Amino acid sequence: MERSVSVSVLYTSLLGVCLASSASFPSNINIGGLFPTESHEYEVFRFALSHHQDIPKLVPQVDMVKMGNSFSMTYAFCSQFSKGVYAIIGLYDRKTVNMLMSFCGALHVCFVTPSFPIETANQFVIQLRPELQDALVGVIEHYDWTKFVYMYSSDSGLSMLQKVLDTAAEKDWQVTSVNVETMTEASFLKVFQDLDKGKEGQIIIDCETERLTGILKKIVEQGKNAKSYHYILANLGFLDIDLTDLRKGGANITGFQLVNNSEPSVSPIVQQWMEFDIKDSKVPKTGLKYTGALTYDGVKVMSTAFQNLRRQRIDISRRGNAGECLANPPAPWGQGIDIQRALQQVRIDGLTGHIQFNEKGRRTNYTVSVMELAPSGPKKVGYWNEDEKYVTTASFMRGSNDTYGLQNRTYIVTTILESPYVMLKKNHEQLVGNDKYEGYIVELAAEIAKHVGYQYKLKIVSDGKYGAKDSDTKMWNGMVGELVYMKADVAVAPLTITLVREEVIDFSKPFMSLGISIMIKKPTKSKPGVFSFLDPLAYEIWMCIVFAYIGVSVVLFLVSRFSPYEWHAEDYEEGGEPQTPTQAAASNGVQQGQTPTQQNPTQQSPEQTNEFGIFNSLWFSLGAFMQQGCDISPRSLSGRIVGGVWWFFTLIIISSYTANLAAFLTVERMVSPIESAEDLAKQTEIAYGTLDAGSTKEFFKRSKIAVFEKMWSYMKAADPSVFVKTTDEGVMRVRKSKGKYAYLLESTMNEYIEQRKPCDTMKVGGNLDSKGYGIATPKGSHLRNPVNLAVLKLNEQGLLDKLKNKWWYDKGECGSGGGDSKDKTSALSLSNVAGVFYILIGGLGLAMLVALVEFCYKSRTESRRMKQSINDAMRCSTLTRMSGNGSGGENGRILTHDFPKTVQTLPCMSHTASMGLGASGM
């Protein structure tokens, strides 16, 4: 019995202590409010208080202040502090923020605010608005912006601008900052004029909602809401802004949204707000803005914090005089630390997402939605948080006309380094982004993006392959794999359209037609021979010409002998004109047949002569053939017929020879060992192969044509392997193999390499097949139709042909003919005409030899006739000819003077006598 009484007493005592503790915590909590007159945040504050009526009840002590007036703000703050408020919720601007921070830190009064976040060490300021600078930098990096204009207002502080400028210094961005507060109408126009000149349209606007609305209105009025402009609104209320006019111009708009209206816990509150009665308000009712949502969450945070303090039985009551805020030194409130800790420890989910604060009173562990303006309205395309950074969540329905995100999103365009399609610029190390590359594909990708209307980033495929399916792993590699596994959005490259690829990805219409071709090393040019000038005519023709020359000379000799018109008589009076050597010989022959008594000492009888002996006939034919003529001509009709047909014959032969001579001397001929795929298949001396993991290899692998099957069997079994990893490797193998390797590749690449130095490769034969390059997209991609239409449009405009001519032929290094075409048209070298000089030298030498033989023979004859030694005869003849005495006659004859008979019998009487003897002897 006694034991039960003691238990009752103990229970009663504990209950009394608990009731005493509960009674010590106030049931009503006075909270202060500092809001602009008739502001949206004040109305939401009233709305939030109506939703939080739990004990302890929040009792407002609101002062309507004029923003920007430090005196008004100071008076209101001190007034509320003297009334004993436990915490204050309200707004500040750049002019009053420092004053409020000072009061809160000195008096230990917590200030909960939805205003812009600031950098401060004051722990008594609870900042409800999340920091946006990291999310903004993440979006800039996602769009791969390197040059843009940053328009800002100092109303919301400069912390975001400072973050962007610091990042720009690290990443070498070009940022043009413009303060909209000091910007006039003229300076506003100049900003956009500079953007238009540089063909730039990337702009960031960092302002509060009211000022941002005015700037967007100016943009629409100036017509700067076209498709070529892209705006990022550095504001957390993307859905709070009226973007209707901007959407009409097609401008690309990206922004951030803090309040997720689609959340089940948010939409009912938004609906209740719209139904909430706003008394005595002169401002029309609007939807719940993000600053209002932050105010609602601020009230919820305060309510939760005081409820936690009550549960913890912490005495925060303010007894006696509340104190003077302007006292010197200031008297801080002792319970302020407890309230500050309770507010920072709140963990709730509100209208603005998860609400949590760090030790400095700033929001942490929050998520911001990234929005874009689509034709149908704002759409969420991603989100940003501290852990994952920027994450893309845009999804598209195939066949849907709603292509939101198409213009604003930066698409990944995979490609491959392959000349002349994609090449690094010489100064690529100093460039960033797409500017590092040049080539046919680079310009084509830019044109496609321009026509479709999206931004893109070129990405070189990591494994350097086009794309094939691995037979072991069944996985796709190369650019095809990038599309299949959604690592890229588009593939703009020399990617061949094939059946196996079409099964896993989509292709556009071909932008280039081509086929498989054969590349070999250009054969060594045949060096011209010594007698290369004989090449224009075959050796059989030369032999026929020689025989014709001899035959014509013989026929001319015979017809001249038989025709009486070729014989003529010549009378020579003593002391008259001397006879020709032929006529003198004929006269001597007649005189030898007569007796001395029959000879007339003063007058010779007429002589019958014929100029066309066998040697003169040969000389006449040779002169006609050489187009030089002769000093004798046939007189008879038969002789002239022979001469006429020979002249006609030589005219045709010489003309034909001259026409071909230039080509044979200036163009050096090359003999190709391979002319077609059949030539490759039926030999084994020259190896041949293709690119590994490419469409060319698949073509031979799947072909049912006998020749190609035979070639595939050889390539598959060849050791060492004839397959190469890259086209450059295949080309180098062709060049280094000394003609023992042929590379099978697309004709377009073959033609391009043929135009590149050192100009030692060539394409032989025709194309083995017919196919095309296409732009690839993942299966079901919304880009397929726009890209396809863009390719057709570029083809109809002739731009595709223009690009090919630019990168293939206009930039060629080997001339239009390929190879060393410049050398082919250069001047003749000595080796081309060396044989002509050899014949000239040989002819001159032969003439000297014949002259020597004639001299020796004549000297021997004279020595016998003059009955003297051969040495004396040669000496006398030499002295006579070297002295130059005597008269020159026609046709090289020497006319002698008349000498007495006795003088002619004396050996070497004088130079004149010797010359006369020599002349008569001739």
Side-chain angles (χ1 to χ4, degrees), residues 282-297:
K282 298 179 181 179
V283 180
K285 187 69 172 287
T286 61
L288 185 62
K289 299 179 181 179
Y290 83 97
T291 52
L294 289 171
T295 304
Y296 185 93
D297 286 343

Side-chain angles (χ1 to χ4, degrees), residues 465-486:
K465 296 182 178 180
Y466 287 89
K469 192 174 184 179
D470 190 278
S471 57
D472 298 328
T473 62
K474 306 299 180 182
M475 299 287 289
W476 285 90
N477 57 23
M479 290 179 287
V480 178
E482 297 270 339
L483 297 177
V484 170
Y485 305 119
M486 305 302 292

Side-chain angles (χ1 to χ4, degrees), residues 733-752:
R733 188 167 177 179
V734 169
R735 287 172 172 165
K736 294 181 179 180
S737 63
K738 298 180 180 179
K740 300 300 180 183
Y741 181 78
Y743 184 46
L744 300 166
L745 74 167
E746 281 82 0
S747 57
T748 51
M749 182 61 65
N750 198 349
E751 293 167 357
Y752 172 76

Side-chain angles (χ1 to χ4, degrees), residues 18 62 74 133 153 216 224 282 284 358 447 523 533 548 594-595 712 738 757 806 823 903:
C18 294
V62 179
T74 301
Q133 48 261 43
S153 169
L216 295 179
K224 304 304 179 182
K282 298 179 181 179
N358 59 16
E447 291 293 335
F533 65 89
Q594 295 176 345
T595 63
W712 171 247
K738 298 180 180 179
K757 290 183 178 179
K806 173 183 177 181
D823 297 335
V903 175

Side-chain angles (χ1 to χ4, degrees), residues 35-74:
F35 295 100
T37 305
E38 297 181 351
S39 64
H40 173 75
E41 291 76 14
Y42 170 68
E43 299 299 338
V44 176
F45 174 70
R46 292 179 53 246
F47 170 71
L49 289 176
S50 66
H51 277 221
H52 297 87
Q53 298 293 330
D54 299 332
I55 296 176
K57 184 179 179 182
L58 301 180
V59 179
Q61 299 290 334
V62 179
D63 284 329
M64 310 305 290
V65 296
K66 185 177 181 181
M67 301 302 295
N69 191 329
S70 298
F71 178 81
S72 173
M73 186 69 73
T74 301

Side-chain angles (χ1 to χ4, degrees), residues 392-412:
T392 301
T393 60
S395 58
F396 304 90
M397 295 181 61
R398 187 178 183 182
S400 173
N401 292 327
D402 190 1
T403 58
Y404 63 86
L406 177 63
Q407 297 171 351
N408 291 328
R409 178 186 168 192
T410 299
Y411 288 86
I412 302 300

Side-chain angles (χ1 to χ4, degrees), residues 440 535 544 904:
Y440 177 91
D535 292 340
C544 291
Q904 298 183 13

Side-chain angles (χ1 to χ4, degrees), residues 661-788:
L661 180 63
F664 274 83
L665 292 183
T666 58
V667 179
E668 298 173 348
R669 292 170 293 175
M670 293 183 297
V671 180
S672 174
I674 296 296
E675 294 294 345
S676 63
E678 289 77 9
D679 293 343
L680 277 179
K682 64 186 180 183
Q683 59 82 46
T684 57
E685 181 180 358
I686 300 176
Y688 49 90
T690 69
L691 180 69
D692 199 7
S695 61
T696 304
K697 181 180 178 181
E698 292 295 325
F699 167 78
F700 286 99
K701 184 177 180 180
R702 299 175 180 275
S703 178
K704 300 301 180 183
I705 301 176
V707 174
F708 299 150
E709 286 181 333
K710 184 178 179 180
M711 295 175 67
W712 171 247
S713 300
Y714 164 80
M715 290 188 287
K716 184 171 59 175
D719 187 23
S721 175
V722 294
F723 298 109
V724 294
K725 295 181 180 180
T726 63
T727 300
D728 290 339
E729 181 183 343
V731 174
M732 290 304 298
R733 188 167 177 179
V734 169
R735 287 172 172 165
K736 294 181 179 180
S737 63
K738 298 180 180 179
K740 300 300 180 183
Y741 181 78
Y743 184 46
L744 300 166
L745 74 167
E746 281 82 0
S747 57
T748 51
M749 182 61 65
N750 198 349
E751 293 167 357
Y752 172 76
I753 296 173
E754 188 176 357
Q755 294 292 322
R756 300 287 104 183
K757 290 183 178 179
C759 308
D760 57 352
T761 64
M762 62 181 295
K763 174 186 174 185
V764 294
N767 295 341
L768 308 187
D769 67 340
S770 179
K771 52 191 174 183
Y773 289 151
I775 298 175
T777 55
K779 276 289 185 182
S781 173
H782 68 288
L783 287 175
R784 179 185 180 184
N785 289 335
V787 168
N788 201 24

